[in-house]
Amino acid sequence: MSDYNAEDVRNIALVGHAGSGKTTLVEALLAATGVINVPGNVTKGTTVCDFDPMEKELQHSLDAAITSFTTSGKHINLIDTPGYPDFLGRSLSVLTAVETAALVINAQAGIESMTTRLMKAADNRHLCRLIIVNQIDAEHVDLGQLTEQIRETFGPECLPINLPADGGKRVVDCFFQPSGGPTDFSSVEEAHSQIVDQVVEVDEDLMALYLEQGQELQPEQLHDPFEAALREAHLMPICYVSAQTGAGIPELLEIMARLMPNPAEGNPPPFLKGEGAAMEPVRVSPDPALHAVAHVFKILNDPYRGKIGIFRVHQGRITPASQLFVGDARKPFKVNHLYRVHGNDLIEVDEGVPGDILAVTRVDDIHFDAVLHDSHDEDHFHLTTMECPIPLFGLAINTSKRGDEQKLTDALNKLRSEDPCFHIEHNASANETVVRGLGEAHLKVVLRRLTEQFHVDVETRPPSIPYRETIMGQAEGHHRHKKQTGGAGQFGEVYLRVEPNARGAGFEFVDAVVGGAIPGNFIPSIEKGVRQVLEEGAVAGYPLQDIRVTVYDGKYHAVDSKDIAFATAGRKAFIDAVLKAQPVILEPIVKIRITAQDSAMGDLAGDLSSRRGRINGSESKSRGRVVIEGEVPLAELEGYDARLKSLTGGEGTYGIELSHYDPVPGNIQKQMMDAYQRSED
């Protein structure tokens, strides 16, 4: 039996920009609660959460890692996440497993790009939030000014729940006690008053008691409205620590244990039941007496332990005797062994209660985002997943040695099963396999794992740019397919009309044939021919998008008309219409965000302009840095990483995400169309 229940569980994800000290903070918390004897060190590669050899070498997290500890009778599940933009998908995917996102901010660096992205993601997920300002004892930091910046950026709901003192050497609580000694900025009395005022606003009765009677409220009276304020994002507490020295760690542990929500106090997980448009919200309750329901938020492929599925229990109990279904599967699997995760170690347990984060091994059917359950009543349950950014960095990949093709395919599929932001594309027209990730560093890690873990040597090259085709005007097309070969012939004649759909609306096929000019059983064949062109392209060999096709007339022959005849007629009539409808080639335009020293801004702006890009704005940051935001065609970014390093002395970084598609310039379009025509000839 578990030695705690669901009310005792706290699930917290540490998120934030790289260098904010999340992994070091985990070490300090584990050491303070007796899980480890002494804190590990990122530089020495001795931390619990950065256990992968590549993480030790690079000295930063590449994947989310899970651990737990007990403090004040509460079981805290803690998830340490990577902070580099290239590994954002690994951070976002674990937010489905927690009630609280703890945003860690480096006191010296301030609010950085990933800080704001992860705060927005947590807000979209309706998670309770805690802001942890780390490295408060660093030189040349103004914590009062940083606190005001946090409030300006994320809202006045961000309020200190404790305050640094003695130059960041210690931290003073401001919630559980109404007064205290001197602090580095503000005062205990002011901070206590501000946070109590904020909390009582969600409880009218308590507010009346507080205002009318002037009664000093006890922490026990504030607990329920405090949880309500967290749920409604009416309060985001700010606390201060130094993970390196341990300052503020006892106070942080008290906040986690006494004030962060348990599974029943956080916002309920957004489960749905059904498929497609028929999906409806469904309530899952953290009640151990109900059917078991769990969600798989992480997959690992271990060379020795096989596939590891890590899941969060949302309802019911799970034991080694449980029989669990994966999604709507008809056949269950037996949980032979149940594990708690501690970094790279799996610790066997005999029960999981609501809120627990656990793992099973060697279950082939388990997969990322799967819902596990022990009753068919929960078939077709889904948990609304986090929206991950579209991976745009690509490499065309093939094996160095013939005969390794299947080995490569198997390895890529295993890597894809672990990472929601790693995609594999098969471009038939270019005869290439393309892997896509969120950045160059993301794909470098993938390539190293292919070599070191899966023992597959590969060769890479720049991939084809994912251009698209569309039309700007309306036109009509016609084709009569007639073939006589001595026996039964082929005959089909099609008249159709094309017009542009709204950008992003996709393809629409309309059957407007009247009077039986074309029998209804041949209409799907016409659509099949049209869709063939959609995939292969009409003017430059790229997929067509955002087009409405209306078939309005045609002819058939009672004997010679066949599906293949109408498919051919539909395909050629569609090409005929597209060529008349002002066809254009679209190219992907990406938002680019460059961080560098401000002395390099002029060179960066000029280089971006030479790549057909434009700057939309810039923002000065601390320590002489600047963030430049703009837009640039994806096709112009080949080799940009090396160019950026050259312009910034190796200090610049950048990230991109898809913005929209725009027509390519006329001269480039003509070159692309001419090259395609020559290849077709």
Side-chain angles (χ1 to χ4, degrees), residues 325-343:
F325 298 96
V326 180
D328 58 352
R330 297 292 91 191
K331 184 179 179 182
F333 72 90
K334 184 180 179 182
V335 181
N336 291 315
H337 299 279
L338 193 62
Y339 301 98
R340 179 169 295 126
V341 183
H342 175 61

Side-chain angles (χ1 to χ4, degrees), residues 133-446:
V133 177
N134 191 18
Q135 302 175 24
I136 59 172
D137 56 337
E139 294 182 356
H140 311 302
V141 296
D142 187 334
L143 296 175
Q145 183 181 22
L146 175 58
T147 301
E148 288 307 309
Q149 290 175 353
I150 291 171
R151 300 191 70 199
E152 288 173 10
T153 305
F154 301 129
E157 302 83 12
C158 303
L159 292 171
I161 197 167
N162 54 37
L163 288 170
D166 297 342
K169 292 179 181 176
R170 63 187 182 92
V171 166
V172 180
D173 167 63
C174 302
F175 179 75
F176 298 106
Q177 59 182 35
S179 61
T183 56
D184 290 346
F185 70 94
S186 186
S187 68
V188 173
E189 292 80 6
E190 181 183 358
H192 179 81
S193 177
Q194 285 181 337
I195 206 162
V196 172
D197 288 348
Q198 191 78 2
V199 167
V200 298
E201 285 182 1
V202 301
D203 189 315
E204 293 183 3
D205 294 338
L206 199 62
M207 179 180 282
L209 186 69
Y210 182 57
L211 296 178
E212 294 173 12
Q213 300 180 20
Q215 181 174 332
E216 185 65 45
L217 299 175
Q218 298 303 310
E220 293 75 19
Q221 293 174 281
L222 291 168
H223 182 271
D224 288 349
F226 192 98
E227 301 304 330
L230 290 176
R231 283 195 300 273
E232 297 169 16
H234 189 66
L235 172 65
M236 288 179 268
I238 307 173
C239 59
Y240 302 84
V241 303
S242 170
Q244 202 68 45
T245 67
I249 294 299
E251 290 79 9
L252 177 58
L253 286 170
E254 187 173 28
I255 290 167
M256 288 179 170
R258 296 181 63 180
L259 297 177
M260 292 301 101
N262 64 40
E265 292 169 332
N267 285 314
F271 273 93
L272 302 169
K273 184 173 185 177
E275 306 294 338
M279 286 195 296
E280 297 179 347
V282 62
R283 178 83 177 196
V284 170
S285 171
D287 185 343
L290 298 178
H291 292 160
V293 177
H295 175 256
V296 180
F297 66 91
K298 185 173 176 60
I299 293 289
L300 293 172
N301 289 286
D302 188 276
Y304 305 105
R305 297 176 290 195
K307 182 187 284 188
I308 302 172
I310 303 174
F311 57 89
R312 154 74 188 271
V313 182
H314 288 277
Q315 177 178 288
R317 296 167 59 251
I318 295 177
T319 70
S322 296
Q323 301 266 351
L324 296 179
F325 298 96
V326 180
D328 58 352
R330 297 292 91 191
K331 184 179 179 182
F333 72 90
K334 184 180 179 182
V335 181
N336 291 315
H337 299 279
L338 193 62
Y339 301 98
R340 179 169 295 126
V341 183
H342 175 61
N344 194 35
D345 297 328
L346 298 181
I347 303 164
E348 194 154 4
V349 296
D350 58 9
E351 182 185 40
V353 299
D356 263 335
I357 292 177
L358 302 169
V360 291
T361 60
R362 305 187 189 281
V363 179
D364 292 338
D365 294 335
I366 205 167
H367 58 86
F368 174 77
D369 204 29
V371 170
L372 310 179
H373 54 98
D374 62 2
S375 167
H376 284 301
D377 291 348
E378 283 73 41
D379 281 354
H380 306 287
F381 269 38
H382 313 276
L383 183 62
T384 306
T385 53
M386 298 294 303
E387 280 195 21
C388 288
I390 298 172
L392 295 174
F393 279 80
L395 285 173
I397 188 170
N398 59 277
T399 59
S400 301
K401 186 168 63 175
R402 292 187 64 180
D404 278 355
E405 289 78 12
Q406 187 59 48
K407 195 175 176 183
L408 173 62
T409 299
D410 293 343
L412 289 177
N413 286 333
K414 286 182 178 179
L415 293 172
R416 178 170 57 182
S417 73
E418 297 179 1
D419 190 342
C421 288
F422 175 60
H423 289 188
I424 307 167
E425 300 172 2
H426 299 284
N427 188 335
S429 59
N431 190 29
E432 65 182 14
T433 296
V434 177
V435 293
R436 294 197 181 276
L438 296 180
E440 185 181 36
H442 189 183
L443 292 186
K444 279 183 177 178
V445 169
V446 168

Side-chain angles (χ1 to χ4, degrees), residues 483-490 559-560 562:
K483 187 175 182 181
Q484 201 71 35
T485 57
Q490 296 180 12
V559 176
D560 291 346
K562 296 178 177 64

Side-chain angles (χ1 to χ4, degrees), residues 74-105:
K74 309 301 179 185
H75 180 78
I76 315 290
N77 290 315
L78 206 58
I79 305 181
D80 179 27
T81 64
Y84 279 96
D86 286 37
F87 308 102
L88 177 60
R90 304 280 188 149
S91 298
L92 294 178
S93 61
V94 306
L95 295 184
T96 60
V98 299
E99 281 77 39
T100 303
L103 199 74
V104 184
I105 297 174

